[in-house]
Amino acid sequence: MSAMGVIKILLVEDQQLVREGLKGLLALHDDLQVVGEANDGAEALEWLTAISSGDRADDMPDVILSDMRMPRLDGIGLIRALAARALRLPVVLLTTFDDTAAFDEAARAGAKGFLLKAIRPETLAQALRDVHAGGTALRPSLTTRMEAKGGERAFTAADHPDPLSPKELQVLRLVASGRSNTEIAALLGNSEGVIKNHCSAIFSKMGVRDRTQAVLRAIDLGWI
């Protein structure tokens, strides 16, 4: 545990009202301290980079508490980004809806916790303690599956990727927001096949093999 028995938390939530509410709830517990805040996964990565490269190493969090659905880089993307950067920080995801598919996705990505925003404050506090102690806050039936999945390794992308077309960049930004090909197709008025073709072209130009790597590379390039 951190010095003086305090668990340091990075809070990642795009809705300021919700973020302030969570801060207030966590402040009621002497052993929980919010040391940093971010509006989404991309900003969280920037914050962690600044912390690790500066003179604020003491503020490095013990646990990340993150919303699951956010713009630019969502909670799932954040978990994968941490793994790709070899940052071994446990992440507890919060979600509004009890979605089994989302739960499966979170478990496979390596989330250490998956909780509904409607839970009792004490349940959230205990989940953070459990995760910090090396446990999980997941349904038991899926805990083993989650632990069996390793994080994605760092990758080597194209040093100077070909520029994306405006439509490809639009698709990439929607991918980064956590939307599926089906959702993107509906938003843009295209067929799912067209969106898949755009994604393939994006991966090829950027020299990456999947959606997560494309988003991480785009963040590095300042495209999103």
Side-chain angles (χ1 to χ4, degrees), residues 79 91-94 103 106 110-115 127 131 135-138 146:
I79 292 172
V91 178
V92 174
L93 292 177
L94 289 174
F103 181 90
K112 295 300 182 182
F114 184 89
L115 304 169
V131 167
T136 59
L138 296 165
M146 181 214 65

Side-chain angles (χ1 to χ4, degrees), residues 28-163:
L28 298 175
H29 301 272
D30 293 339
D31 61 333
L32 303 176
Q33 179 186 6
V34 175
V35 295
E37 301 174 47
N39 287 310
D40 56 33
E43 188 173 301
L45 292 175
E46 294 169 0
W47 188 90
L48 289 167
T49 298
I51 289 296
S52 60
S53 61
D55 57 358
R56 298 174 56 194
D58 289 343
D59 286 337
M60 183 61 70
D62 300 306
V63 180
I64 296 175
L65 178 60
S66 173
D67 190 10
M68 184 163 180
R69 301 300 182 193
M70 297 176 291
R72 289 208 299 172
L73 190 65
D74 64 5
I76 298 293
L78 174 58
I79 292 172
R80 291 171 174 158
L82 293 170
R85 287 161 169 73
L87 291 173
R88 306 180 69 84
L89 294 172
V91 178
V92 174
L93 292 177
L94 289 174
T95 183
T96 302
F97 304 104
D98 190 5
D99 185 335
T100 301
F103 181 90
D104 287 344
E105 184 182 12
R108 287 194 298 269
K112 295 300 182 182
F114 184 89
L115 304 169
L116 290 173
K117 290 182 178 179
I119 60 172
R120 294 172 55 249
E122 185 53 48
T123 301
L124 173 60
Q126 189 58 48
L128 292 168
R129 296 183 188 111
D130 291 345
V131 167
H132 178 251
T136 59
L138 296 165
R139 298 174 191 171
S141 61
L142 289 178
T143 300
T144 302
R145 284 167 51 188
M146 181 214 65
E147 292 175 342
K149 295 289 184 179
E152 295 188 17
R153 295 181 179 274
F155 60 93
T156 301
D159 289 334
H160 302 288
D162 294 334

